Amino acid sequence: MYKRSLLSASIVVALTAPVHAEEYSVFDEVVVSATRTEQNKADVSSSIETVTSESINSQMSSDVQQALQYTPGVEANGGGRFGISGFNIRGVEGDRVKIMIDGVQQPAPYNPGASEQRKYANGIEVDTLQVIEVNKGPASTLYGSDAIGGAVMLRTKNPDDLLITDGDENRFGLKSSYTSADQQFKNTLSWAMRKGKLETLLMTTYAQGNETASHSSGEDIEGPDRGATNPADKKLGNVLGKAFYQVSDSNRLGLTIEYNQQQYDEDELNYNGYTIMPGFTYTDNYNKDTNKRFRVTLEQSLGLETSIADSLDWSLSYQDSSTLNKNFDTTPSNGRRLRERDASDVTVQFDTQVSKVLIADSVEHEFTYGFSYLRNNFELENTDYKLDQGTNAPGSTGIPDAEISQWGLFIQDQAFLMDDRLIITAGLRYDSFVSDPSTDEGFTTEYDKNENNAFTAKLGSVYHINDNVAVFGQIGQGFKAPTVYDLYYFYNQGAIVEANPDLKAERSLSYELGLRSQSKNSLSELSTFYTNYTDFINETKTGQQGGKDVFTKENLDEVTIYGAEFSSRVNLDGLIGAPNGSYTRLAVAYAEGEDKKTGDAIDSVAPLTGTIGLGLERESYGTALHIKMVASKNDWNADDNVNAAGYALVDLTAYYRPIDDLTLHAGLFNAFDKKYWLYSDLSGTDHDSKFSKDIKSQPGRNWGLSLDYQF
């Protein structure tokens, strides 16, 4: 039974007799995010969800949101003009979930509430991804602040993911796809090469399409009653380059460069004729948005033979992430105008990690410890142009520019006892977090810097009752320092949002208990969780001023979120003699959230969700049927929030491989043309909204095609 991490197992194999080494074989699913080292998923003490590139291709996922749509307890939110806004894990979302691409931390989301600006960490090209790992529950002991609700780790492809031999070779790829929901054509070209000690990869993606359609029943008119999505043109370009050089058997150097650019030009027809206040009736509304992300990472992996380290990994990364939102409109008070909103995050990040395997009293311990440092410069530059008058002036930014620095130290011990049947993992981390705001023409209020620090710890275990059944559990603490947006954001137009620079850091204590079962023909996991949050940051309505609603961020004393999840896959051919390659899948997620002081619901907690899958996988062809069922959402923090009706969706996909290197995929989605809304899109929408909720509906029946040729 393979229990140790890959590092641990390789060391033990090297030091033991060949006959004993036969016990260690690579298990089908290996994860990294649970312990920061490669580990069998069966041996981690918490629930980890993975989506591989094979699943992304078979589901015909055109973005990360679609890639995670059948994953229990996990959702990607947002869409449309501003793209994916972030991830929801077990009812916790936004800046409480850390997002990392190849270990590089992505900036905290910024959403000022108005429709002219957003800044999200969504410059992710799904065709470049090899695997998505979702670490559920607090992950602060491993990844620091912003991981209080979990972590989403996205790992892009490496050269050896595309190369198929151990010798020198070149491997090329072309993937072309079309999706009808947004009329998007996408092409991804790849070239992987190995020559001697050098491996390289180059991937380029270009896509062009239109807006993602709402349901076809929405009215195609101008004004707030518009139900059809605003017409838009979008373009996407992504370039990923990697090079790895094997200096020696124990020394590997790597360089990664990635550039992502997205353009979204929209005619905002639903705002034409909308009056927000006297003198502000909008006409001729349109916008032009550009999102860019550039990153470069230098890394090294060293094998060592010292008393304190068997391996050392370090990386130094630079990332520049920016958005430019150009908003054009005409009003009686201002005439023709342009509101230009420019936001930028520039980050330098350094990480180092050491692993050491020790054997004490016949018990093997794998120690992992390290240090991380991040410095982020966040800047906003807003300019308001009155085009008829030929004038311009600085626009209010709502929050200050700021310099954010954070660093952390962590250590983890994973012990293997009782002939590897019992695995105990303990971790401890210290984090320091500082936000230092500054003033400029767009933000003149001075604030002191905000400083937070915390120790977080976790203790988890896995006990293998036998070769097929294991129980696992974990107790973990979480920590999240308030963001610049949490602390300082203010707004005074259609409503009033007051800043609260005295916010405390959020903290959590989470309990998880689960059961895993694995046999020759089935794999399943049942997990239950209970998380208690203290000083939970929440935006609350505090009253009215001058006829405007007044809101502010405040700390809630205690919030609890609890629930259960189940997932399974059964190979029907081996179990009941069904046709070769047939299988079934089942996933169910249930959660509840409550403000313990008031009894109010937590809006971000998803309703009961279940997915049933039935498929056939063979070498040259296959098909899959997925039915996703979501219960209604009518338990909101605000009584006047629009309820989200329940729904069931049917998706059908198929593939055909006429030759080894060529695969054709086809998919029919929402096959029965169901009209439905995501509950997250309706959160904060009241019954008196002047805009039709139809514009927020999801696409009706749609389809997709793709061709993937690797040679």
Side-chain angles (χ1 to χ4, degrees), residues 520-522 570-580 582-584 614:
K520 180 181 179 181
N521 296 305
S522 66
V570 177
N571 294 330
L572 298 175
D573 49 0
L575 186 68
I576 61 174
N580 184 41
S582 59
Y583 67 90
T584 184
L614 181 65

Side-chain angles (χ1 to χ4, degrees), residues 145-380:
S145 183
D146 300 343
I148 190 171
V152 177
M153 323 296 288
L154 304 113
R155 206 262 287 174
T156 60
K157 290 181 170 70
N158 289 326
D160 57 7
D161 293 317
L162 300 181
L163 299 172
I164 59 175
T165 71
D166 294 329
D168 291 355
E169 68 169 311
N170 289 274
R171 188 80 173 164
F172 300 92
L174 167 64
K175 180 181 178 183
S176 296
S177 63
Y178 174 79
T179 49
S180 70
D182 56 359
Q183 300 177 0
Q184 176 178 271
F185 288 93
K186 181 193 285 188
N187 291 285
T188 297
L189 302 175
S190 61
W191 173 32
M193 182 272 288
R194 181 188 296 115
K195 187 174 180 60
K197 296 182 178 181
L198 177 66
E199 292 182 352
T200 62
L201 172 66
L202 178 64
M203 297 187 72
T204 63
T205 300
Y206 177 76
Q208 187 170 357
N210 301 115
E211 72 283 358
T212 299
S214 58
H215 194 272
S216 59
S217 63
E219 289 192 83
D220 189 3
I221 59 175
E222 294 191 26
D225 291 332
R226 180 178 178 83
T229 310
N230 289 324
D233 296 319
K234 63 180 180 181
K235 295 179 181 178
L236 177 150
N238 194 90
V239 178
L240 173 68
K242 292 190 176 185
F244 295 94
Y245 186 75
Q246 197 72 41
V247 180
S248 65
D249 290 343
S250 59
N251 186 356
R252 180 177 171 90
L253 290 172
L255 175 68
T256 298
I257 299 175
E258 184 176 24
Y259 179 74
N260 180 282
Q261 179 171 322
Q262 301 177 39
Q263 182 75 37
Y264 196 91
D265 298 341
E266 177 190 44
D267 287 332
E268 218 167 4
L269 299 183
N270 67 318
Y271 265 86
N272 287 343
Y274 170 62
T275 301
I276 189 173
M277 64 180 68
F280 278 84
T281 299
Y282 295 100
T283 58
D284 194 25
N285 281 258
Y286 63 99
N287 47 64
K288 296 178 178 293
D289 301 334
T290 303
N291 297 334
K292 298 179 181 180
R293 181 175 65 86
F294 171 78
R295 70 176 172 107
V296 56
T297 298
L298 179 65
E299 59 185 295
Q300 184 178 27
S301 296
L302 285 169
L304 304 174
E305 294 183 4
T306 69
S307 59
I308 61 171
D310 295 321
S311 68
L312 167 66
D313 296 274
W314 65 264
S315 64
L316 177 64
S317 301
Y318 169 87
Q319 180 170 268
D320 186 349
S321 173
S322 64
T323 65
L324 177 60
N325 304 116
K326 293 184 176 181
N327 304 267
F328 299 85
D329 62 36
T330 302
T331 66
S333 298
N334 294 302
R336 293 184 306 121
R337 66 173 178 171
L338 162 62
R339 290 174 293 172
E340 193 172 82
R341 304 294 182 252
D342 194 350
S344 172
D345 280 281
V346 176
T347 300
V348 175
Q349 179 179 331
F350 176 75
D351 294 281
T352 184
Q353 179 173 310
V354 176
S355 293
K356 178 64 181 177
V357 174
L358 295 174
I359 298 178
D361 297 328
S362 300
V363 176
E364 179 188 325
H365 298 262
E366 181 176 359
F367 290 95
T368 306
Y369 56 96
F371 169 79
S372 63
Y373 173 81
L374 182 143
R375 192 175 192 87
N376 170 238
N377 287 319
F378 174 71
E379 295 182 355
L380 291 172

Side-chain angles (χ1 to χ4, degrees), residues 13 99 280 608 678:
V13 169
I99 305 170
F280 278 84
L608 177 67
L678 303 179

Side-chain angles (χ1 to χ4, degrees), residues 63-75:
D63 56 32
V64 177
Q65 188 173 51
Q66 294 178 10
L68 292 169
Q69 63 183 324
Y70 306 130
T71 305
V74 181
E75 295 182 3

